[in-house]
């Protein structure tokens, strides 16, 4: 499967390398190709293009940009290249600026998530929230003595969630389907909780696990 990743930061690069490791064809889309020169050196099988080219290339898409840039990033892509495709939404609605008492601040409310805003803007794209509640160092094949951690996902399209669940399993995760796009109101704030040990104690190597 071809994967088009919109973004060039550390999350985009980490996931791009992960998809390549697991046998996918990958293109990272960026406005600044020089930013990815080191990534290209370490990932000779990967491709680099514009965001539009990455969206056109990918059968599966990943949005991996700052939450403040998420809408603009997708608006810069042809609607035709987004329509009908599964898009993994890794974004969180974090306000630019430092945390307060270890707590990140969001520009959304508990009544309206960033993913809902994106889904309303692009109704024919099959959004699935994932990879937003863990640091990049543990996104691909995390190794914990307690077993695979849990990735909470949500989205309106059941088949899209099946595709993402299969990807998560390849990447060493178990997934928990938390329902439709509205559930992103609960999943996105997991980022705030995940970051607290980091800001308070310098601990950035943990992940969540749901026990039944």
């Amino acid at each position: 499967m071809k994967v088009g990743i919109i973004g060039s930061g550390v999350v985009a690069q980490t996931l791009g390398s992960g998809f390549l490791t697991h046998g996918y064809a990958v293109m990272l889309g960026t406005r600044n190709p020089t930013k990815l020169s080191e990534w290209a050196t370490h990932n000779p099988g990967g491709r680099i293009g514009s965001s539009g080219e990455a969206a056109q290339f990918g059968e599966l898409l990943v949005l991996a940009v700052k939450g403040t840039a998420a809408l603009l990033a997708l608006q810069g892509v042809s609607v035709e290249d987004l329509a009908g495709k599964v898009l993994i939404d890794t974004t969180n609605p974090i306000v630019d600026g430092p945390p307060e008492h270890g707590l990140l601040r969001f520009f959304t409310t508990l009544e309206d998530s960033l993913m809902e805003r994106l889904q309303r803007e692009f109704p024919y794209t099959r959004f699935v929230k994932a990879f937003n509640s863990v640091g990049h160092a543990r996104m691909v094949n995390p190794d914990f003595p307690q077993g695979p951690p849990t990735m909470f996902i949500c989205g309106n399209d059941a088949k899209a969630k099946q595709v993402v669940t299969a990807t998560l399993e390849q990447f060493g995760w178990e997934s928990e389907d938390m329902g439709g796009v509205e559930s992103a109101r609960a999943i996105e704030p997991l980022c705030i909780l995940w970051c607290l040990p980091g800001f308070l104690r310098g601990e950035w190597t943990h992940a969540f696990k749901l026990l039944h």
Side-chain angles (χ1 to χ4, degrees), residues 189-211:
L190 289 176
C191 168
I192 300 175
L193 180 61
W194 185 87
C195 286
L196 265 173
F199 291 131
L200 296 177
R201 299 187 294 274
E203 179 190 342
W204 300 99
T205 58
H206 52 283
F208 296 121
K209 187 172 183 66
L210 182 65
L211 301 178

Side-chain angles (χ1 to χ4, degrees), residues 5-48:
I5 300 178
I6 300 171
S8 56
V10 65
V11 171
Q13 294 181 40
T14 297
L15 291 177
S17 299
F19 278 110
L20 285 168
T21 298
H22 287 283
Y24 294 75
V26 176
M27 178 182 286
L28 265 61
T30 178
R31 293 178 298 177
N32 183 12
T34 58
K35 185 177 180 180
L36 293 171
S37 57
E38 184 176 350
W39 182 86
T41 299
H42 292 290
N43 297 274
R47 306 184 190 188
I48 297 172

